[in-house]
Amino acid sequence: MYYQQERTLLKGVFSVRKGKTQLHKWAERQVILCGTSLIVASVKDSLTGKMHILPLVGGKVEEVKRRQHYLMFSSAGPQAQTYYVNFDTLADYQRWHRQASKVVSQTISLVDLSCYSLEEVPEYLFYCQDITHLNLRHNFMSLDGPGGLSTAYFRRFAQLRSLNLSHNGLGVFPESLCEIQTLTELYLSCNGLSAVPARLENLQSLQTLCLDGNRLDSLPEELGKLSQLCSLGLSFNDFPLIPGVVERLGALDKLAMAGNRVETLDLCSLLRMTHIKSIDLRLNGLRCVKSETLEPVKHLTQLDLRDNQLTSLDLSSACSLETLQCQRNQLGALTLSGFTLRTLHARDNRLTTVNIYPVPNQLTHMDLSRNLLEYLPDWVCDSRKIEVLDVSHNLLSELPARLLSSLSLRKLLSGNNRLESLADLLDHIPLETLDLQHNKLRELPESFFYKALNLKYLNVSANALETIPPSSQSEESLSTLQELYLTGNKLNENCAALLVGHQNLRVLHMAYNQLQSFPASKLSKLEVLEELNLSGNKLKTIPSTVSSCKRLHTLIAHSNHISVFPEVLSLPEIKLVDVSCNELTEILLPDSLPSTLQELDLSGNSSLMLEHKTLNLFSHISTLKLDQKPAVTAGDAQGTSTLWDHGYAEMCGQRNKLCVSVLAVDRFGDSPEAAYGIFDGDRNEEVSRLLQCTMGDVLAEEIQHSSVDSVYMSNTFLTSHRKLGMAGQKLGASALLCYIHHESSEPGRYFSLTVANVGTCQAVLCRDGQPLALSKVFSLEQSAEEMERVKLAKAIITEDNKVSGVTCCSRLLGCSYLFPWVLPKPWVHTEPLCSQDEFLILGNKALFQKVSYQEAVSTVLAVRDPRAAAKKLCTLAQSYGCRDNVGAVVVALHIGEDSCTCEPPLLTTEARGPPLPISVSPCDPATPSSSSGIASEFNSEMSASEVGSEAGSTASDEHPSSGPTARPERRCSLHPTATLWVHPALFQRQPSSATFSSNQSDNGLDSDDEAPLEGVISNGSKLEVEVDIHCCAFQLRSGPPESPKDLDGRHDSRSSDYPNSKMRRQNSVVVSATNGCLLAVCGREISDLKKSPSTSSLFGKKLSNGSVVALEDSHNIIEVALEAPKKKSGYFAAPAQQDPEDQLIIPPSLEQDVREQLRGQSPVVPGPPWCKRTAPLEHLRIIVPHQRG
């Protein structure tokens, strides 16, 4: 038993003596009455020191009459212990006496000691005569010893009715349990049992016996004497057939045998089991269901045959069948009896027809999605009670008119078919949900909306609609439509006017149509509109009447031609505004902004000018995305060739938090290399952000130790898994990491792409316009190999195909407590790149569930900008029905035959490969994306006041050049010019306490002489950094070394590209380069931020994916943008570093003179005595002290 503060009844410091003899001395101790125990502990270390626990139930609390204010506390049993407590006052004495007497008189009936790492049953429990339920699940219980399971003490549990010993690794069935004849429930799952003793027949009262997840292949015949046994769990064992003893268990009505080795089911054998009503045979490798007799099986009502290998199924003899589940087989034909059928689930098969006789008039729910149906059988239309029908992802060319006019059908899902038209409807049909996306519809019936008056959800995205029908025949409309998805059609502004009758509309998606405007008068009529998506059209403005939509909380209008910021910042519930990739020039702001605004995306607006006052108004916004204006030198004006460029997008959907994170580094090492990744925490945001911070560092370290792709990628994943610490015990995330590099055999010629992943994140390469999958999906439903591995490890796979009901993935980073079922070992694949490779797409599960590989490739081919392409992918996924977090990364590739992009001496150039469908813009090789927590620096010519006014000056991903100020010709990274380059180590900051690179001691040992760092917890000789540190700033090479001597002189290897800039303790403006964006938030003082509940370490705001931090009142510039999400658990060991001093501080009065002198000569930058070099002016940072009024 453990001290839990929430269970504390009384506590205080009193004089205590142990034992009844006078040999023990009185001592001052902390005394706690917690739950049903008395805890005596040291006063100084009451929470961390040794505790003496005295169970009081069944014991005694007596008054010591010889002394004043004394109580004697005794436990039960022959080895009872006694404590004397001397209270200071009569009030304390009476209060403790009264409360403890209540505890002693209690009778405990339920004891839960699960997950306590127990090896024996606590001795005091054997003296508790009233225990009826004992839970010892997930321990390390032994058979021998004083408290072992083989001890005769178990007979003392005279009232015990329920005993749970699952997950204890017993190996042998404890036969002593057969003596507890009062047991009605016995759970022994996942114990490695290979046999069940015949003595189990003694438990005549047993009603539930759970033996799942063992190694049983037979049962003793004596088990048939358990006449009251009504529930028997035999799932995930090694039974080759249904045990014969089941026929004698007359009270048994449900047989659970999922995950065994039953390959053939003979319906004739079921005739002898008339008491069995429900059978679960999932995951058995079942190949055949046969019936050699015409005698009907009348007792069977529920049958689960999911995830087997059936090619045909005839259950016409099961005349009482009510529910059949046969998903994910290989069925080509299905025959059933329709007398009592109520529910049919048959998705993910190869069905071309389904035969049910007679007509199933009791059928209410049917799922035939993802099959090969070209038409619907007649009996579907004749069924009188069908309410839900899913026939999506088939080959249907029409829907019967009788089906659409059904008087019972409420939900019809028929997307991803070949429908070209829709039949007219009857009046007042009850249809509420209709999904027709991804068909070939050109129009809807004219009377569609005013006949389907109950329709609340309609999705006709990805069709060829040129118009939509009116909402009613008159001015008055009775429409109840609430959600309307029209994305990906050919609609114009005239269609927008027809929406006015849908006055209950809450969600409207009209993205990627041909709208040139939206009628202002019509928009004002949609007063209850909450979400509006008009992205990818030709809009030049959002009508000012949008301010009439008082409930609007989401406006997404990226990829248009909007020049005036929409008037939505006065709306009381606005949360998200995305007007990126437009033509904004200015923003007119109200005096105050709504406190609800959480995200504002203004990136991709090349002409946008923002003043510092404007940025100050955005102080409370969690995420603000702006373009960063690069400093362009004369040498860069000619343009710099790039081999790749990236863009990414993340959307929360209906979640309150973003659990998807992205890593993107265009220049990863000395030579042309890149690293990209995506991490999906499903429902937790902590693990994905930790991986975002650390995996780049770990990869940079591992590639120093091995050049074998499977070795360094596997080590990267395993090390990152270990670094999750406590956070990775119960939480996990899917992860995908891509590394573009030269082949080690010929480093000067070929590029290769190495991909590693766990979980459900996926990577697709576009080669010659066709998708090429590079990753493997580690989902139990999609990987037969992983399903078999998990089954062999005796995991319990629940009915929703999740390991122990937790996750559908068989490989994850984190979720350590699910080992060995869930592993961190990645799939690794290396693909040589060629000139036909156009781009790479990375996405999470939610993206590729809704957008196929082919559609994703076609979508990116049609959009030239990687960022706009990524945004379009996420927008399409949401319009197709995705309610989850969705993330996408698009990497444009421009790799020629020899991977060389040098500019010849002549002005004319020859293309070395086919034209790239995605434009690539000049990119500084030293500037990565802040989506990986990377910071950018402004050069000396970018003053603080220019941050706001100059931000957003370009839509391209251009960054400050790190090369010389003048270059005669453009050279690629493979063949650099012979120019003197400054040693990058002179300008980079030292790694901060958040550097997680494993090249620095993982044990966290550091010198005791170093000053303590903010955000770092010292624990003896170990320094621990809070897991939510989000300031992993990748400092990349600014250029190649002058000679091999320079290379040898470096004190860093490739991992030195990732030192983290230490956060300065001063008021500051935070800027960060993300996909060419300036991410900035401004406002409160650091002290206020530290007090804010939204901050947990350093002074970072809780943001969506570590993009930005709060700006302070000062105008000074710092180098890092970080995020610190709320800390939950877990620590990283990291070395402490001193504050670097690599900047020149100049008084404001001398600033101009110094600038002029520096322009006239190459500055000498202080550095180590062994290295003195000159540097281009851009690299010298001048910090002007802020003048306070």
Side-chain angles (χ1 to χ4, degrees):
M1 301 182 70
Y2 295 92
Y3 169 42
Q4 300 178 5
Q5 293 185 4
E6 64 270 16
R7 300 182 60 197
T8 300
L9 302 177
L10 294 171
K11 70 176 180 179
V13 178
F14 308 108
S15 295
V16 178
R17 192 189 77 190
K18 181 180 180 182
K20 296 183 178 180
T21 66
Q22 301 294 329
L23 298 177
H24 295 87
K25 296 182 179 179
W26 291 90
E28 193 175 60
R29 292 289 182 264
Q30 177 94 28
V31 183
I32 305 166
L33 185 61
C34 178
T36 59
S37 300
L38 185 75
I39 300 175
V40 180
S42 168
V43 176
K44 182 179 180 181
D45 302 319
S46 60
L47 298 179
T48 59
K50 184 178 180 180
M51 297 181 184
H52 298 271
I53 303 175
L54 185 70
L56 294 179
V57 175
K60 295 184 296 183
V61 176
E62 297 180 348
E63 179 184 359
V64 181
K65 297 182 178 179
R66 298 191 306 270
R67 297 178 179 271
Q68 190 178 19
H69 306 158
Y70 273 69
L71 285 178
M72 180 187 71
F73 298 86
S74 300
S75 60
Q79 298 183 359
Q81 293 182 338
T82 301
Y83 281 90
Y84 290 88
V85 180
N86 180 17
F87 296 95
D88 299 330
T89 64
L90 177 62
D92 286 339
Y93 166 81
Q94 292 176 340
R95 184 164 58 253
W96 278 77
H97 191 190
R98 183 171 57 252
Q99 192 69 50
S101 298
K102 293 180 181 178
V103 173
V104 169
S105 62
Q106 287 181 4
T107 59
I108 295 181
S109 60
L110 192 151
V111 176
D112 186 356
L113 294 175
S114 60
C115 306
Y116 272 80
S117 300
L118 298 177
E119 296 182 4
E120 297 179 347
V121 179
E123 183 181 354
Y124 67 86
L125 286 182
F126 293 124
Y127 303 101
C128 300
Q129 305 296 325
D130 300 310
I131 295 179
T132 59
H133 294 73
L134 178 58
N135 186 358
L136 296 171
R137 182 175 59 93
H138 277 292
N139 283 292
F140 302 96
M141 302 301 299
S142 61
L143 298 176
D144 304 320
L149 298 178
S150 297
T151 180
Y153 285 144
F154 265 89
R155 300 177 184 175
R156 297 187 179 183
F157 292 123
Q159 306 295 326
L160 191 63
R161 289 187 293 148
S162 177
L163 176 62
N164 193 335
L165 289 168
S166 299
H167 296 275
N168 272 281
L170 299 176
V172 179
F173 194 107
E175 295 199 23
S176 61
L177 304 182
C178 300
E179 305 298 326
I180 311 176
Q181 299 187 9
T182 57
L183 278 178
T184 60
E185 299 177 359
L186 179 59
Y187 300 89
L188 288 166
S189 300
C190 300
N191 275 294
L193 306 180
S194 57
V196 176
R199 291 178 58 193
L200 197 63
E201 64 178 335
N202 295 339
L203 304 181
Q204 289 298 311
S205 300
L206 199 63
Q207 299 176 12
T208 299
L209 177 60
C210 185
L211 298 170
D212 298 335
N214 287 291
R215 305 189 182 278
L216 302 173
D217 56 12
S218 62
L219 293 177
E221 290 297 321
E222 289 79 3
L223 200 66
K225 298 180 181 179
L226 301 179
S227 58
Q228 298 187 42
L229 191 65
C230 59
S231 177
L232 177 61
L234 300 175
S235 297
F236 301 99
N237 281 280
D238 298 325
F239 290 98
L241 46 81
I242 298 177
V245 70
V246 173
E247 300 177 12
R248 299 166 52 194
L249 298 173
L252 191 66
D253 60 354
K254 181 177 181 180
L255 180 62
M257 289 192 64
N260 281 278
R261 303 184 183 278
V262 181
E263 295 188 357
T264 302
L265 174 62
D266 190 351
L267 295 180
C268 296
S269 64
L270 299 182
L271 293 174
R272 299 186 296 271
M273 306 177 189
T274 56
H275 47 283
I276 300 292
K277 295 182 179 180
S278 176
I279 298 180
D280 182 359
L281 290 174
R282 296 176 294 121
L283 301 162
N284 265 280
L286 197 65
R287 297 178 181 272
C288 177
V289 176
K290 61 182 181 179
S291 178
E292 298 178 354
T293 179
L294 297 178
E295 185 176 354
V297 182
K298 298 182 179 180
H299 54 276
L300 188 63
T301 61
Q302 297 182 9
L303 182 60
D304 194 341
L305 301 175
R306 283 176 289 173
D307 298 284
N308 283 292
Q309 301 177 25
L310 297 171
T311 56
S312 63
L313 183 59
D314 186 349
L315 294 175
S316 55
S317 61
C319 58
S320 299
L321 192 65
E322 297 180 2
T323 300
L324 172 65
Q325 299 197 67
C326 55
Q327 303 97 302
R328 292 178 296 278
N329 279 275
Q330 302 171 20
L331 294 176
L334 177 61
T335 303
L336 302 173
S337 169
F339 285 108
T340 59
L341 190 65
R342 297 178 182 272
T343 304
L344 172 60
H345 296 274
R347 64 174 295 161
D348 285 294
N349 282 287
R350 301 173 182 174
L351 294 172
T352 57
T353 184
V354 178
N355 299 313
I356 300 181
Y357 182 83
V359 174
N361 286 322
Q362 304 299 318
L363 185 66
T364 60
H365 189 125
M366 183 166 65
D367 184 356
L368 297 175
S369 61
R370 299 187 181 275
N371 280 285
L372 302 175
L373 297 175
E374 296 183 359
Y375 63 92
L376 289 179
D378 292 338
W379 58 261
V380 176
C381 303
D382 296 333
S383 184
R384 300 175 182 176
K385 295 185 178 180
I386 189 165
E387 296 181 1
V388 179
L389 176 61
D390 188 351
V391 289
S392 58
H393 293 274
N394 276 283
L395 305 175
L396 301 176
S397 58
E398 64 175 351
L399 293 177
R402 288 194 301 153
L403 177 66
L404 292 172
S405 300
S406 170
L407 298 180
S408 61
L409 190 63
R410 298 182 179 275
K411 184 175 183 179
L412 175 59
L413 307 178
S414 55
N416 295 90
N417 279 284
R418 301 175 178 178
L419 304 178
E420 296 183 358
S421 61
L422 207 61
D424 288 333
L425 309 179
L426 293 179
D427 289 336
H428 308 300
I429 60 173
L431 192 64
E432 297 178 358
T433 299
L434 179 59
D435 190 338
L436 295 168
Q437 63 175 292
H438 284 91
N439 281 287
K440 300 179 181 180
L441 297 174
R442 295 184 179 275
E443 62 179 2
L444 295 176
E446 185 72 15
S447 60
F448 180 80
F449 284 121
Y450 50 82
K451 286 188 175 181
L453 293 179
N454 293 302
L455 194 65
K456 293 180 173 58
Y457 175 99
L458 175 62
N459 194 330
V460 287
S461 299
N463 279 280
L465 296 177
E466 297 180 358
T467 185
I468 58 174
S471 59
S472 65
Q473 293 176 300
S474 60
E475 294 184 0
E476 292 187 6
S477 175
L478 300 177
S479 171
T480 59
L481 190 65
Q482 297 180 9
E483 298 183 47
L484 179 58
Y485 298 87
L486 299 168
T487 295
N489 284 282
K490 301 178 181 179
L491 304 176
N492 55 32
E493 55 274 8
N494 296 328
C495 301
L498 299 174
L499 298 173
V500 67
H502 303 293
Q503 298 184 2
N504 295 304
L505 204 60
R506 296 188 298 105
V507 178
L508 175 60
H509 282 219
M510 296 187 70
Y512 297 98
N513 280 281
Q514 299 176 5
L515 301 178
Q516 295 186 359
S517 63
F518 200 104
S521 60
K522 308 301 181 183
L523 184 59
S524 63
K525 300 293 181 63
L526 304 177
E527 296 180 354
V528 298
L529 193 64
E530 299 175 5
E531 179 178 329
L532 178 61
N533 193 327
L534 298 173
S535 303
N537 286 284
K538 301 176 182 179
L539 299 176
K540 295 183 178 180
T541 182
I542 301 293
S544 59
T545 52
V546 71
S547 59
S548 301
C549 305
K550 299 299 184 182
R551 299 186 184 179
L552 190 70
H553 58 70
T554 299
L555 173 63
I556 304 176
H558 63 77
S559 307
N560 280 284
H561 304 296
I562 299 173
S563 58
V564 179
F565 189 83
E567 298 181 16
V568 295
L569 297 182
S570 59
L571 296 176
E573 299 182 18
I574 192 70
K575 294 181 180 179
L576 185 151
V577 180
D578 184 353
V579 285
S580 58
C581 302
N582 277 286
E583 300 173 3
L584 294 178
T585 56
E586 61 178 347
I587 299 180
L588 299 178
L589 298 177
D591 295 336
S592 62
L593 299 181
S595 59
T596 55
L597 186 61
Q598 299 174 3
E599 181 173 347
L600 177 59
D601 192 346
L602 301 173
S603 60
N605 291 279
S606 57
S607 303
L608 182 61
M609 307 291 288
L610 291 181
E611 298 179 354
H612 191 73
K613 182 179 71 172
T614 302
L615 291 175
N616 280 332
L617 284 176
F618 295 144
S619 59
H620 71 277
I621 303 177
S622 298
T623 304
L624 172 63
K625 299 182 181 180
L626 301 173
D627 278 342
Q628 174 185 344
K629 180 180 179 180
V632 181
T633 63
D636 289 331
Q638 302 174 7
T640 304
S641 178
T642 181
L643 296 172
W644 41 72
D645 190 16
H646 81 275
Y648 77 96
E650 303 155 328
M651 296 185 179
C652 294
Q654 293 188 350
R655 292 272 187 90
N656 290 327
K657 58 183 179 181
L658 182 64
C659 301
V660 178
S661 298
V662 167
L663 168 69
V665 188
D666 287 328
R667 299 298 180 188
F668 189 68
D670 298 334
S671 58
E673 294 179 350
Y676 304 98
I678 187 168
F679 315 104
D680 187 357
D682 191 20
R683 296 184 181 277
N684 80 86
E685 59 184 342
E686 183 176 6
V687 173
S688 60
R689 295 189 182 183
L690 291 175
L691 294 174
Q692 178 195 47
C693 288
T694 59
M695 286 200 79
D697 289 308
V698 177
L699 175 61
E701 171 66 19
E702 293 299 334
I703 59 181
Q704 302 302 313
H705 300 295
S706 175
S707 60
V708 181
D709 54 0
S710 60
V711 174
Y712 64 73
M713 275 299 192
S714 295
N715 288 343
T716 296
F717 275 66
L718 295 176
T719 302
S720 300
H721 172 78
R722 175 177 56 84
K723 284 180 174 289
L724 291 176
M726 292 299 296
Q729 290 295 316
K730 291 189 177 182
L731 303 177
S734 298
L736 184 142
L737 191 60
C738 296
Y739 174 42
I740 303 178
H741 57 96
H742 281 293
E743 278 291 349
S744 56
S745 57
E746 296 184 57
R749 184 169 179 83
Y750 299 106
F751 279 109
S752 290
L753 172 62
T754 297
V755 178
N757 79 288
V758 294
T760 54
C761 293
Q762 302 165 56
V764 181
L765 179 67
C766 175
R767 175 169 291 173
D768 272 339
Q770 298 300 318
L772 176 63
L774 300 178
S775 54
K776 183 176 181 179
V777 180
F778 287 103
S779 169
L780 294 182
E781 292 184 357
Q782 296 179 256
S783 176
E785 296 177 4
E786 288 298 294
M787 178 70 81
E788 188 62 26
R789 180 187 66 80
V790 173
K791 283 174 56 181
L792 289 175
K794 299 304 175 184
I796 303 298
I797 301 174
T798 51
E799 293 186 357
D800 53 359
N801 269 349
K802 291 185 176 181
V803 180
S804 295
V806 176
T807 176
C808 64
C809 298
S810 59
R811 300 198 186 189
L812 289 174
L813 295 185
C815 285
S816 302
Y817 78 106
L818 292 177
F819 178 86
W821 310 318
V822 177
L823 302 176
K825 183 179 179 181
W827 159 271
V828 181
H829 173 71
T830 296
E831 183 71 22
L833 296 178
C834 60
S835 58
Q836 286 75 35
D837 297 328
E838 301 175 74
F839 53 83
L840 175 68
I841 303 175
L842 281 61
N844 68 333
K845 175 184 177 181
L847 175 67
F848 289 112
Q849 271 186 336
K850 297 298 181 180
V851 182
S852 66
Y853 288 166
Q854 185 61 60
E855 183 178 5
V857 166
S858 301
T859 297
V860 178
L861 282 172
V863 181
R864 299 188 62 84
D865 178 36
R867 174 172 49 196
K871 280 187 169 291
K872 183 174 181 179
L873 288 174
C874 293
T875 297
L876 292 181
Q878 288 190 332
S879 294
Y880 296 162
C882 177
R883 306 293 178 93
D884 220 335
N885 285 178
V886 58
V889 182
V890 175
V891 182
L893 302 174
H894 194 187
I895 298 175
E897 294 292 344
D898 61 351
S899 304
C900 176
T901 58
C902 292
E903 183 183 64
L906 299 179
L907 295 178
T908 58
T909 60
E910 260 180 48
R912 296 183 178 271
L916 185 69
I918 303 176
S919 64
V920 286
S921 54
C923 176
D924 175 27
T927 307
S929 164
S930 75
S931 57
S932 56
I934 300 165
S936 66
E937 294 185 4
F938 282 69
N939 61 29
S940 60
E941 296 188 1
M942 173 68 76
S943 66
S945 61
E946 292 173 320
V947 174
S949 60
E950 299 282 337
S953 59
T954 178
S956 67
D957 290 324
E958 297 180 349
H959 302 287
S961 170
S962 59
T965 56
R967 286 179 290 184
E969 58 180 311
R970 187 175 70 232
R971 305 293 292 175
C972 76
S973 301
L974 298 177
H975 309 103
T977 56
T979 307
L980 289 179
W981 295 82
V982 182
H983 198 293
L986 299 182
F987 300 99
Q988 65 187 25
R989 287 188 174 274
Q990 296 294 323
S992 76
S993 60
T995 303
F996 303 116
S997 179
S998 57
N999 69 326
Q1000 306 189 42
S1001 174
D1002 282 333
N1003 59 16
L1005 298 179
D1006 282 288
S1007 170
D1008 293 335
D1009 299 330
E1010 294 179 337
L1013 297 178
E1014 185 177 4
V1016 180
I1017 301 172
S1018 178
N1019 183 12
S1021 62
K1022 184 174 182 179
L1023 284 177
E1024 297 177 320
V1025 182
E1026 298 184 40
V1027 297
D1028 294 319
I1029 292 293
H1030 197 76
C1031 54
C1032 178
F1034 291 70
Q1035 178 74 27
L1036 298 183
R1037 303 291 184 190
S1038 58
E1042 178 185 10
S1043 65
K1045 293 182 180 180
D1046 300 333
L1047 187 61
D1048 296 336
R1050 287 178 178 160
H1051 63 277
D1052 288 347
S1053 62
R1054 217 182 281 198
S1055 61
S1056 67
D1057 292 341
Y1058 303 96
N1060 298 340
S1061 298
K1062 187 176 181 64
M1063 180 63 65
R1064 289 201 161 273
R1065 300 185 182 101
Q1066 63 181 17
N1067 295 339
S1068 51
V1069 174
V1070 177
V1071 292
S1072 175
T1074 299
N1075 200 23
C1077 303
L1078 168 68
L1079 304 175
V1081 180
C1082 51
R1084 298 176 294 179
E1085 295 289 342
I1086 296 178
S1087 59
D1088 296 333
L1089 287 172
K1090 289 180 178 178
K1091 298 176 183 178
S1092 171
S1094 64
T1095 59
S1096 58
S1097 66
L1098 299 183
F1099 56 87
K1101 252 187 174 180
K1102 180 171 177 60
L1103 314 180
S1104 69
N1105 195 27
S1107 300
V1108 292
V1109 203
L1111 282 183
E1112 315 307 332
D1113 293 337
S1114 170
H1115 295 179
N1116 295 330
I1117 297 176
I1118 66 172
E1119 298 94 355
V1120 196
L1122 66 89
E1123 173 199 341
K1126 291 185 178 179
K1127 177 182 178 299
K1128 295 179 182 177
S1129 62
Y1131 294 92
F1132 286 136
Q1137 299 290 341
Q1138 297 293 337
D1139 281 282
E1141 297 184 4
D1142 58 352
Q1143 71 259 353
L1144 181 62
I1145 300 180
I1146 300 172
S1149 59
L1150 300 178
E1151 179 187 1
Q1152 189 62 32
D1153 294 337
V1154 172
R1155 288 186 186 279
E1156 293 177 358
Q1157 293 180 18
L1158 289 176
R1159 288 193 182 95
Q1161 59 183 356
S1162 298
V1164 178
V1165 183
W1170 47 267
C1171 182
K1172 293 286 184 180
R1173 294 193 181 277
T1174 60
L1177 182 61
E1178 305 88 346
H1179 286 296
L1180 186 61
R1181 237 171 327 122
I1182 300 177
I1183 296 184
V1184 182
H1186 179 59
Q1187 299 296 318
R1188 297 190 178 273

